[in-house]
Structures are given as structure tokens and as C-alpha cells.
Amino acid sequence: MRDFKYKPPRVNTGDLRVPVTFFEYAPNNSPEPGEKPEKVLYECFAKVDNVWMKDLEQAKTNGTVEDVTITIRDPLDDYIPSNKHYIEIDARGYRGKHFNVKADFPDPQNNAFIKIVGGIKS
């Protein structure tokens, strides 16, 4: 018989320390091209993962300047991430940057959380 060994979850609620905001852009109401942030869709705390060297190489091949992976508690039906949404991270090194949501997927180790990959296109 196999011995039971408790494995703590990789992410728990104590790791969610960085405030993030999800919003969408709208076109400017002027003859000038461009967009501006229009509506805040969801605000929460997240765990921002460190960027690995393989992620930087993958970002270069995908045509993005910078990628980020964040983990948030699953909002269920309150918010569903879309590739039309943007992420703003309120932490040193990320302020003023708006990451476009590239992909979202549930965390396979813990279904109470989802991971979201965002990137800044060149």
C-alpha cells in the first residue's frame, strides 16, 4: 500500500498580494487615432510569477515585448477573461504598462485559481 503524503498547494490565498485591474479599451472620440481605457471590468489581488528566460525567448518569437503570467482566484461568472481585455498591475516595475490578455486557463493543480498570460505587443 502506498503511504499518504500531504502535498501543499502550489498557490494559496496568502500568495495573492499584488492588486490587478482588468479593463477594456474604447476608440477615441476624436479624429486622432488611438484608444483609451474605457471601463474597469474586474479588480482583484494576484500572484505575479517571475519571468523565466524561456518566456522571454517565447515572447520574442510571438512578437511581444514582454509577457507576464498572473494567478488569480477563480471569479466564476463575475468575470470571464477575453483577449479583448487588458491587465494593469499595481506593482513596482509594472506601473504604467497595460498587458493584453493572451490566454487564460484553469490551474490544473488547484481549481480554485486560474492563470492568465498577458503580453505587450511590439
Side-chain angles (χ1 to χ4, degrees):
M1 193 172 202
R2 190 171 177 182
D3 289 336
F4 173 75
K5 283 190 174 182
Y6 173 73
K7 292 182 182 178
R10 293 185 183 186
V11 178
N12 57 34
T13 55
D15 295 333
L16 307 177
R17 297 182 181 151
V18 179
V20 295
T21 305
F22 294 90
F23 59 93
E24 61 185 359
Y25 273 107
N28 286 336
N29 290 334
S30 68
E32 295 294 322
E35 297 177 317
K36 62 179 175 157
E38 180 187 42
K39 183 168 99 173
V40 173
L41 301 171
Y42 189 69
E43 294 179 322
C44 63
F45 286 95
K47 176 186 175 201
V48 180
D49 292 330
N50 293 333
V51 178
W52 297 74
M53 191 55 114
K54 67 178 178 103
D55 295 334
L56 291 174
E57 293 299 322
Q58 187 177 7
K60 287 179 189 175
T61 60
N62 291 339
T64 57
V65 177
E66 187 175 348
D67 281 351
V68 68
T69 302
I70 64 171
T71 304
I72 64 171
R73 184 173 288 286
D74 191 358
L76 301 175
D77 289 335
D78 290 342
Y79 172 68
I80 299 171
S82 167
N83 61 356
K84 296 179 177 131
H85 300 161
Y86 289 83
I87 307 166
E88 183 175 34
I89 301 171
D90 188 17
R92 188 179 63 194
Y94 294 105
R95 288 191 181 105
K97 297 178 182 178
H98 294 162
F99 295 89
N100 188 6
V101 174
K102 290 172 32 177
D104 63 295
F105 47 92
D107 190 352
Q109 280 76 27
N110 191 350
N111 61 1
F113 298 95
I114 60 172
K115 288 188 178 190
I116 299 172
V117 177
I120 298 175
K121 294 186 179 181
S122 57

